[in-house]
Amino acid sequence: MKDDEKNRIVEAIQKKYGEEYRNFKWISDKEAEAAEAERSAVFGAVKDSLSFGYNGTKPYYMDISPGCRHCGEGTWSCLFINGKCNGHCFFCPSEQTEFGEPVTNALQFTSPHDYLDYLSAFGIKGVSISGGEPLLTIDRSTRFLSAVQRRFEDKIHKWLYTNGILLTEENLKKLKDAGLNEIRLNLFAQNYNLEKVMLASRYIPTVTVEIPAVPEDHDLLCSLLPQLLESGVKFLNLHQLRCTSYNYKKFIERGYTFLHGQDATVLESELAALKTIKFAVESDIRLPINYCSFVYRNNFQRIRSRQRSAPCLLKPHEEITGAGFIRSLSVKLTKEEVGRITSRMKEDGEPESSVYYEPKSMKFSFTGSVLKYLDKQLSGTLSYFDSTLSSSASYRNVFKEVRLNGRKKITAERWRALPDVEITGEEIQIFKDRYLKESPSERSIPDSDKWSKINSMEAPHKGLQSYW
């Protein structure tokens, strides 16, 4: 990572936490080198038993749950059924004090029927019910689950997150009757007691334990792995602790070491998760363990969200990049030059919709497949746009209304992700080889700020975060 990119990251984190930034115990260069070596040693010890999903951002042992696969593939909707929790976990990223209305990706759904039409419109194959604590509003939770089950039956995988405090036989029967396929328990909130895990395994087909990797609890968790397996747990998901404006002071109090990145994260949490996997492998404990890194969550979940909204706004001469952004590629041409290109395209059966020409500006925009018709010496412009779905338009950007049914509509909105990027003829060839081929070239891109920005728009992040 180049120094100017690191500076941008530091400035963003300093802006978020203000004067408190100085109270964080940031990793030193010497500590970073030692931690990188420790992580490499863990991977080296279990390399034959470990898989790396989603560009290497999700290391896992044996397998990941069906719900996790839907998350990674972008066919998942997480419905935050309420915003209130009774768990009081120190790592919680938000205050969680208001019940509110059900929300997914900032879209509010008070009616299950409207939510079902949203699932249909965007090809959702996995639905999770989260919060807050879903069992605080058990009737609301089961109402939405039952509606999903009636409409889609087993075509949609349904799971629910809970701290387990209110998990009773009665509630489990309600969840089972509502068609729940998987339940994910926060074992930390239960002080690592397995009673609720065993109870849940009697009613729900897939029981998953999902918790952040708490460094202080690493040895305890490792000692419990055989019992988790015996209690009916099918998967163990470990998250990396990440800072928010709500929890960071508690992390500072615990003396954690922090990493710079797209947000501040806890070094010891990642190492604890990876060492838990190593312990399971070396002890031959056949419990699938998935490390859900912040890099994965912050990159792939955002990419999948953009990939849902981008098609609503995509113009025929634009394309969606591997990172989920809308890309427009253009050059300046005369009307005569455009005529010659489109004639050749017509002869080859290329669709005319893949190009667009503005005579006044002489701007010729096109999809990547049209590049072969252009003079290799031309210079071009790359434009990138981000997109979201929201309940209403901000009226600050280009938007389009998406009607779900006769009464419910949502808004897809797009805006510039970064200023236009100019690339020369030679750079266009590098761009084509790296990003436009079905089998992309491993050709390295120039080491410059410009290409760093292009790559962030084009390609998903690779691997876990570097330590600095």
PDB file of all heavy atoms in Angstrom, residues 206-235:
ATOM      1  N   THR A 206     -30.106 -26.522  11.675  1.00  0.00           N
ATOM      2  CA  THR A 206     -28.702 -26.089  11.716  1.00  0.00           C
ATOM      3  C   THR A 206     -28.501 -25.101  12.860  1.00  0.00           C
ATOM      4  O   THR A 206     -29.122 -24.041  12.897  1.00  0.00           O
ATOM      5  CB  THR A 206     -28.290 -25.415  10.395  1.00  0.00           C
ATOM      6  OG1 THR A 206     -28.437 -26.358   9.324  1.00  0.00           O
ATOM      7  CG2 THR A 206     -26.841 -24.952  10.448  1.00  0.00           C
ATOM      8  N   VAL A 207     -27.623 -25.484  13.781  1.00  0.00           N
ATOM      9  CA  VAL A 207     -27.264 -24.604  14.887  1.00  0.00           C
ATOM     10  C   VAL A 207     -25.839 -24.117  14.654  1.00  0.00           C
ATOM     11  O   VAL A 207     -24.914 -24.911  14.497  1.00  0.00           O
ATOM     12  CB  VAL A 207     -27.368 -25.321  16.250  1.00  0.00           C
ATOM     13  CG1 VAL A 207     -26.876 -24.408  17.374  1.00  0.00           C
ATOM     14  CG2 VAL A 207     -28.798 -25.777  16.509  1.00  0.00           C
ATOM     15  N   THR A 208     -25.680 -22.802  14.621  1.00  0.00           N
ATOM     16  CA  THR A 208     -24.382 -22.168  14.413  1.00  0.00           C
ATOM     17  C   THR A 208     -24.067 -21.289  15.611  1.00  0.00           C
ATOM     18  O   THR A 208     -24.947 -20.583  16.111  1.00  0.00           O
ATOM     19  CB  THR A 208     -24.398 -21.294  13.136  1.00  0.00           C
ATOM     20  OG1 THR A 208     -24.674 -22.121  12.002  1.00  0.00           O
ATOM     21  CG2 THR A 208     -23.079 -20.583  12.923  1.00  0.00           C
ATOM     22  N   VAL A 209     -22.850 -21.343  16.079  1.00  0.00           N
ATOM     23  CA  VAL A 209     -22.387 -20.386  17.084  1.00  0.00           C
ATOM     24  C   VAL A 209     -21.650 -19.284  16.342  1.00  0.00           C
ATOM     25  O   VAL A 209     -20.733 -19.550  15.572  1.00  0.00           O
ATOM     26  CB  VAL A 209     -21.470 -21.044  18.132  1.00  0.00           C
ATOM     27  CG1 VAL A 209     -20.752 -19.987  18.969  1.00  0.00           C
ATOM     28  CG2 VAL A 209     -22.288 -21.960  19.042  1.00  0.00           C
ATOM     29  N   GLU A 210     -22.095 -18.046  16.536  1.00  0.00           N
ATOM     30  CA  GLU A 210     -21.473 -16.911  15.855  1.00  0.00           C
ATOM     31  C   GLU A 210     -21.134 -15.841  16.879  1.00  0.00           C
ATOM     32  O   GLU A 210     -22.021 -15.271  17.514  1.00  0.00           O
ATOM     33  CB  GLU A 210     -22.396 -16.347  14.774  1.00  0.00           C
ATOM     34  CG  GLU A 210     -21.772 -15.183  14.043  1.00  0.00           C
ATOM     35  CD  GLU A 210     -22.357 -14.959  12.658  1.00  0.00           C
ATOM     36  OE1 GLU A 210     -22.829 -15.926  12.034  1.00  0.00           O
ATOM     37  OE2 GLU A 210     -22.326 -13.816  12.196  1.00  0.00           O
ATOM     38  N   ILE A 211     -19.838 -15.565  17.018  1.00  0.00           N
ATOM     39  CA  ILE A 211     -19.350 -14.601  18.003  1.00  0.00           C
ATOM     40  C   ILE A 211     -18.101 -13.901  17.465  1.00  0.00           C
ATOM     41  O   ILE A 211     -17.419 -14.445  16.607  1.00  0.00           O
ATOM     42  CB  ILE A 211     -18.984 -15.280  19.351  1.00  0.00           C
ATOM     43  CG1 ILE A 211     -18.027 -16.460  19.114  1.00  0.00           C
ATOM     44  CG2 ILE A 211     -20.209 -15.699  20.124  1.00  0.00           C
ATOM     45  CD1 ILE A 211     -17.511 -17.112  20.370  1.00  0.00           C
ATOM     46  N   PRO A 212     -17.809 -12.716  17.983  1.00  0.00           N
ATOM     47  CA  PRO A 212     -16.485 -12.161  17.695  1.00  0.00           C
ATOM     48  C   PRO A 212     -15.421 -13.001  18.386  1.00  0.00           C
ATOM     49  O   PRO A 212     -15.688 -13.627  19.419  1.00  0.00           O
ATOM     50  CB  PRO A 212     -16.545 -10.750  18.301  1.00  0.00           C
ATOM     51  CG  PRO A 212     -17.989 -10.466  18.524  1.00  0.00           C
ATOM     52  CD  PRO A 212     -18.635 -11.789  18.770  1.00  0.00           C
ATOM     53  N   ALA A 213     -14.230 -13.022  17.826  1.00  0.00           N
ATOM     54  CA  ALA A 213     -13.118 -13.709  18.477  1.00  0.00           C
ATOM     55  C   ALA A 213     -12.589 -12.781  19.569  1.00  0.00           C
ATOM     56  O   ALA A 213     -11.861 -11.829  19.290  1.00  0.00           O
ATOM     57  CB  ALA A 213     -12.030 -14.036  17.468  1.00  0.00           C
ATOM     58  N   VAL A 214     -12.986 -13.053  20.803  1.00  0.00           N
ATOM     59  CA  VAL A 214     -12.570 -12.244  21.948  1.00  0.00           C
ATOM     60  C   VAL A 214     -11.223 -12.791  22.435  1.00  0.00           C
ATOM     61  O   VAL A 214     -11.150 -13.947  22.872  1.00  0.00           O
ATOM     62  CB  VAL A 214     -13.618 -12.291  23.076  1.00  0.00           C
ATOM     63  CG1 VAL A 214     -13.156 -11.490  24.283  1.00  0.00           C
ATOM     64  CG2 VAL A 214     -14.967 -11.772  22.568  1.00  0.00           C
ATOM     65  N   PRO A 215     -10.153 -12.010  22.356  1.00  0.00           N
ATOM     66  CA  PRO A 215      -8.819 -12.532  22.669  1.00  0.00           C
ATOM     67  C   PRO A 215      -8.717 -13.179  24.047  1.00  0.00           C
ATOM     68  O   PRO A 215      -8.104 -14.250  24.194  1.00  0.00           O
ATOM     69  CB  PRO A 215      -7.926 -11.285  22.587  1.00  0.00           C
ATOM     70  CG  PRO A 215      -8.649 -10.377  21.651  1.00  0.00           C
ATOM     71  CD  PRO A 215     -10.111 -10.613  21.899  1.00  0.00           C
ATOM     72  N   GLU A 216      -9.335 -12.559  25.045  1.00  0.00           N
ATOM     73  CA  GLU A 216      -9.243 -13.082  26.410  1.00  0.00           C
ATOM     74  C   GLU A 216      -9.900 -14.449  26.565  1.00  0.00           C
ATOM     75  O   GLU A 216      -9.607 -15.187  27.511  1.00  0.00           O
ATOM     76  CB  GLU A 216      -9.896 -12.114  27.409  1.00  0.00           C
ATOM     77  CG  GLU A 216      -9.290 -10.724  27.429  1.00  0.00           C
ATOM     78  CD  GLU A 216      -9.991  -9.761  26.494  1.00  0.00           C
ATOM     79  OE1 GLU A 216     -10.259 -10.133  25.331  1.00  0.00           O
ATOM     80  OE2 GLU A 216     -10.283  -8.633  26.921  1.00  0.00           O
ATOM     81  N   ASP A 217     -10.817 -14.772  25.641  1.00  0.00           N
ATOM     82  CA  ASP A 217     -11.585 -16.019  25.749  1.00  0.00           C
ATOM     83  C   ASP A 217     -11.075 -17.110  24.817  1.00  0.00           C
ATOM     84  O   ASP A 217     -11.731 -18.151  24.657  1.00  0.00           O
ATOM     85  CB  ASP A 217     -13.066 -15.742  25.447  1.00  0.00           C
ATOM     86  CG  ASP A 217     -13.684 -14.765  26.433  1.00  0.00           C
ATOM     87  OD1 ASP A 217     -13.110 -14.588  27.525  1.00  0.00           O
ATOM     88  OD2 ASP A 217     -14.738 -14.184  26.109  1.00  0.00           O
ATOM     89  N   HIS A 218      -9.932 -16.897  24.215  1.00  0.00           N
ATOM     90  CA  HIS A 218      -9.423 -17.854  23.227  1.00  0.00           C
ATOM     91  C   HIS A 218      -9.236 -19.252  23.821  1.00  0.00           C
ATOM     92  O   HIS A 218      -9.723 -20.248  23.264  1.00  0.00           O
ATOM     93  CB  HIS A 218      -8.092 -17.362  22.654  1.00  0.00           C
ATOM     94  CG  HIS A 218      -7.350 -18.392  21.882  1.00  0.00           C
ATOM     95  ND1 HIS A 218      -7.810 -18.912  20.686  1.00  0.00           N
ATOM     96  CD2 HIS A 218      -6.182 -19.042  22.146  1.00  0.00           C
ATOM     97  CE1 HIS A 218      -6.954 -19.808  20.245  1.00  0.00           C
ATOM     98  NE2 HIS A 218      -5.959 -19.916  21.099  1.00  0.00           N
ATOM     99  N   ASP A 219      -8.560 -19.350  24.950  1.00  0.00           N
ATOM    100  CA  ASP A 219      -8.295 -20.667  25.549  1.00  0.00           C
ATOM    101  C   ASP A 219      -9.601 -21.350  25.957  1.00  0.00           C
ATOM    102  O   ASP A 219      -9.763 -22.563  25.767  1.00  0.00           O
ATOM    103  CB  ASP A 219      -7.376 -20.527  26.766  1.00  0.00           C
ATOM    104  CG  ASP A 219      -5.959 -20.129  26.374  1.00  0.00           C
ATOM    105  OD1 ASP A 219      -5.597 -20.293  25.194  1.00  0.00           O
ATOM    106  OD2 ASP A 219      -5.221 -19.643  27.256  1.00  0.00           O
ATOM    107  N   LEU A 220     -10.530 -20.568  26.511  1.00  0.00           N
ATOM    108  CA  LEU A 220     -11.826 -21.128  26.918  1.00  0.00           C
ATOM    109  C   LEU A 220     -12.572 -21.678  25.708  1.00  0.00           C
ATOM    110  O   LEU A 220     -13.111 -22.801  25.744  1.00  0.00           O
ATOM    111  CB  LEU A 220     -12.665 -20.054  27.610  1.00  0.00           C
ATOM    112  CG  LEU A 220     -14.124 -20.420  27.930  1.00  0.00           C
ATOM    113  CD1 LEU A 220     -14.187 -21.623  28.870  1.00  0.00           C
ATOM    114  CD2 LEU A 220     -14.857 -19.222  28.536  1.00  0.00           C
ATOM    115  N   LEU A 221     -12.600 -20.901  24.624  1.00  0.00           N
ATOM    116  CA  LEU A 221     -13.312 -21.342  23.427  1.00  0.00           C
ATOM    117  C   LEU A 221     -12.701 -22.618  22.864  1.00  0.00           C
ATOM    118  O   LEU A 221     -13.427 -23.550  22.488  1.00  0.00           O
ATOM    119  CB  LEU A 221     -13.301 -20.236  22.381  1.00  0.00           C
ATOM    120  CG  LEU A 221     -14.029 -20.535  21.064  1.00  0.00           C
ATOM    121  CD1 LEU A 221     -15.504 -20.834  21.307  1.00  0.00           C
ATOM    122  CD2 LEU A 221     -13.879 -19.370  20.083  1.00  0.00           C
ATOM    123  N   CYS A 222     -11.374 -22.666  22.808  1.00  0.00           N
ATOM    124  CA  CYS A 222     -10.716 -23.875  22.296  1.00  0.00           C
ATOM    125  C   CYS A 222     -11.085 -25.099  23.129  1.00  0.00           C
ATOM    126  O   CYS A 222     -11.328 -26.186  22.590  1.00  0.00           O
ATOM    127  CB  CYS A 222      -9.204 -23.679  22.289  1.00  0.00           C
ATOM    128  SG  CYS A 222      -8.613 -22.580  20.977  1.00  0.00           S
ATOM    129  N   SER A 223     -11.149 -24.928  24.442  1.00  0.00           N
ATOM    130  CA  SER A 223     -11.486 -26.066  25.317  1.00  0.00           C
ATOM    131  C   SER A 223     -12.923 -26.522  25.118  1.00  0.00           C
ATOM    132  O   SER A 223     -13.256 -27.676  25.402  1.00  0.00           O
ATOM    133  CB  SER A 223     -11.263 -25.683  26.787  1.00  0.00           C
ATOM    134  OG  SER A 223     -12.220 -24.725  27.219  1.00  0.00           O
ATOM    135  N   LEU A 224     -13.778 -25.626  24.600  1.00  0.00           N
ATOM    136  CA  LEU A 224     -15.197 -25.958  24.406  1.00  0.00           C
ATOM    137  C   LEU A 224     -15.496 -26.572  23.041  1.00  0.00           C
ATOM    138  O   LEU A 224     -16.611 -27.072  22.821  1.00  0.00           O
ATOM    139  CB  LEU A 224     -16.060 -24.700  24.575  1.00  0.00           C
ATOM    140  CG  LEU A 224     -16.240 -24.157  25.992  1.00  0.00           C
ATOM    141  CD1 LEU A 224     -17.021 -22.840  25.952  1.00  0.00           C
ATOM    142  CD2 LEU A 224     -16.977 -25.167  26.876  1.00  0.00           C
ATOM    143  N   LEU A 225     -14.543 -26.546  22.118  1.00  0.00           N
ATOM    144  CA  LEU A 225     -14.826 -27.009  20.757  1.00  0.00           C
ATOM    145  C   LEU A 225     -15.378 -28.434  20.703  1.00  0.00           C
ATOM    146  O   LEU A 225     -16.368 -28.686  19.991  1.00  0.00           O
ATOM    147  CB  LEU A 225     -13.572 -26.889  19.887  1.00  0.00           C
ATOM    148  CG  LEU A 225     -13.063 -25.471  19.603  1.00  0.00           C
ATOM    149  CD1 LEU A 225     -11.857 -25.512  18.666  1.00  0.00           C
ATOM    150  CD2 LEU A 225     -14.169 -24.607  19.008  1.00  0.00           C
ATOM    151  N   PRO A 226     -14.803 -29.395  21.429  1.00  0.00           N
ATOM    152  CA  PRO A 226     -15.381 -30.749  21.377  1.00  0.00           C
ATOM    153  C   PRO A 226     -16.816 -30.776  21.896  1.00  0.00           C
ATOM    154  O   PRO A 226     -17.666 -31.496  21.357  1.00  0.00           O
ATOM    155  CB  PRO A 226     -14.455 -31.569  22.283  1.00  0.00           C
ATOM    156  CG  PRO A 226     -13.168 -30.809  22.303  1.00  0.00           C
ATOM    157  CD  PRO A 226     -13.568 -29.369  22.243  1.00  0.00           C
ATOM    158  N   GLN A 227     -17.096 -29.982  22.928  1.00  0.00           N
ATOM    159  CA  GLN A 227     -18.446 -29.956  23.483  1.00  0.00           C
ATOM    160  C   GLN A 227     -19.434 -29.288  22.525  1.00  0.00           C
ATOM    161  O   GLN A 227     -20.605 -29.674  22.471  1.00  0.00           O
ATOM    162  CB  GLN A 227     -18.442 -29.207  24.824  1.00  0.00           C
ATOM    163  CG  GLN A 227     -17.617 -29.893  25.906  1.00  0.00           C
ATOM    164  CD  GLN A 227     -17.537 -29.062  27.165  1.00  0.00           C
ATOM    165  OE1 GLN A 227     -18.553 -28.638  27.713  1.00  0.00           O
ATOM    166  NE2 GLN A 227     -16.312 -28.812  27.627  1.00  0.00           N
ATOM    167  N   LEU A 228     -18.971 -28.278  21.794  1.00  0.00           N
ATOM    168  CA  LEU A 228     -19.840 -27.662  20.788  1.00  0.00           C
ATOM    169  C   LEU A 228     -20.283 -28.705  19.774  1.00  0.00           C
ATOM    170  O   LEU A 228     -21.465 -28.787  19.407  1.00  0.00           O
ATOM    171  CB  LEU A 228     -19.114 -26.518  20.078  1.00  0.00           C
ATOM    172  CG  LEU A 228     -18.802 -25.249  20.862  1.00  0.00           C
ATOM    173  CD1 LEU A 228     -18.055 -24.257  19.984  1.00  0.00           C
ATOM    174  CD2 LEU A 228     -20.070 -24.612  21.386  1.00  0.00           C
ATOM    175  N   LEU A 229     -19.345 -29.498  19.321  1.00  0.00           N
ATOM    176  CA  LEU A 229     -19.646 -30.545  18.349  1.00  0.00           C
ATOM    177  C   LEU A 229     -20.630 -31.557  18.920  1.00  0.00           C
ATOM    178  O   LEU A 229     -21.611 -31.929  18.259  1.00  0.00           O
ATOM    179  CB  LEU A 229     -18.339 -31.224  17.938  1.00  0.00           C
ATOM    180  CG  LEU A 229     -18.304 -31.981  16.619  1.00  0.00           C
ATOM    181  CD1 LEU A 229     -18.730 -31.096  15.466  1.00  0.00           C
ATOM    182  CD2 LEU A 229     -16.904 -32.527  16.379  1.00  0.00           C
ATOM    183  N   GLU A 230     -20.396 -31.970  20.152  1.00  0.00           N
ATOM    184  CA  GLU A 230     -21.280 -32.941  20.806  1.00  0.00           C
ATOM    185  C   GLU A 230     -22.664 -32.368  21.076  1.00  0.00           C
ATOM    186  O   GLU A 230     -23.659 -33.103  21.130  1.00  0.00           O
ATOM    187  CB  GLU A 230     -20.650 -33.404  22.124  1.00  0.00           C
ATOM    188  CG  GLU A 230     -19.372 -34.221  21.952  1.00  0.00           C
ATOM    189  CD  GLU A 230     -18.630 -34.411  23.261  1.00  0.00           C
ATOM    190  OE1 GLU A 230     -19.167 -33.990  24.313  1.00  0.00           O
ATOM    191  OE2 GLU A 230     -17.507 -34.974  23.241  1.00  0.00           O
ATOM    192  N   SER A 231     -22.748 -31.034  21.226  1.00  0.00           N
ATOM    193  CA  SER A 231     -24.034 -30.386  21.545  1.00  0.00           C
ATOM    194  C   SER A 231     -24.893 -30.135  20.317  1.00  0.00           C
ATOM    195  O   SER A 231     -26.008 -29.618  20.438  1.00  0.00           O
ATOM    196  CB  SER A 231     -23.779 -29.053  22.257  1.00  0.00           C
ATOM    197  OG  SER A 231     -23.066 -29.253  23.457  1.00  0.00           O
ATOM    198  N   GLY A 232     -24.388 -30.469  19.146  1.00  0.00           N
ATOM    199  CA  GLY A 232     -25.178 -30.315  17.926  1.00  0.00           C
ATOM    200  C   GLY A 232     -24.837 -29.098  17.092  1.00  0.00           C
ATOM    201  O   GLY A 232     -25.540 -28.788  16.128  1.00  0.00           O
ATOM    202  N   VAL A 233     -23.763 -28.386  17.445  1.00  0.00           N
ATOM    203  CA  VAL A 233     -23.355 -27.224  16.653  1.00  0.00           C
ATOM    204  C   VAL A 233     -22.782 -27.695  15.316  1.00  0.00           C
ATOM    205  O   VAL A 233     -21.924 -28.579  15.275  1.00  0.00           O
ATOM    206  CB  VAL A 233     -22.319 -26.378  17.420  1.00  0.00           C
ATOM    207  CG1 VAL A 233     -21.767 -25.265  16.534  1.00  0.00           C
ATOM    208  CG2 VAL A 233     -22.950 -25.777  18.671  1.00  0.00           C
ATOM    209  N   LYS A 234     -23.280 -27.101  14.236  1.00  0.00           N
ATOM    210  CA  LYS A 234     -22.829 -27.489  12.893  1.00  0.00           C
ATOM    211  C   LYS A 234     -21.723 -26.577  12.362  1.00  0.00           C
ATOM    212  O   LYS A 234     -20.906 -27.005  11.545  1.00  0.00           O
ATOM    213  CB  LYS A 234     -24.015 -27.452  11.924  1.00  0.00           C
ATOM    214  CG  LYS A 234     -25.169 -28.389  12.293  1.00  0.00           C
ATOM    215  CD  LYS A 234     -24.807 -29.840  12.090  1.00  0.00           C
ATOM    216  CE  LYS A 234     -25.949 -30.759  12.481  1.00  0.00           C
ATOM    217  NZ  LYS A 234     -27.149 -30.586  11.637  1.00  0.00           N
ATOM    218  N   PHE A 235     -21.707 -25.311  12.820  1.00  0.00           N
ATOM    219  CA  PHE A 235     -20.725 -24.349  12.333  1.00  0.00           C
ATOM    220  C   PHE A 235     -20.347 -23.385  13.457  1.00  0.00           C
ATOM    221  O   PHE A 235     -21.176 -23.046  14.300  1.00  0.00           O
ATOM    222  CB  PHE A 235     -21.276 -23.528  11.149  1.00  0.00           C
ATOM    223  CG  PHE A 235     -21.675 -24.350   9.963  1.00  0.00           C
ATOM    224  CD1 PHE A 235     -22.996 -24.763   9.813  1.00  0.00           C
ATOM    225  CD2 PHE A 235     -20.742 -24.713   8.999  1.00  0.00           C
ATOM    226  CE1 PHE A 235     -23.380 -25.526   8.725  1.00  0.00           C
ATOM    227  CE2 PHE A 235     -21.119 -25.479   7.912  1.00  0.00           C
ATOM    228  CZ  PHE A 235     -22.435 -25.897   7.767  1.00  0.00           C
TER     229      PHE A 235
END
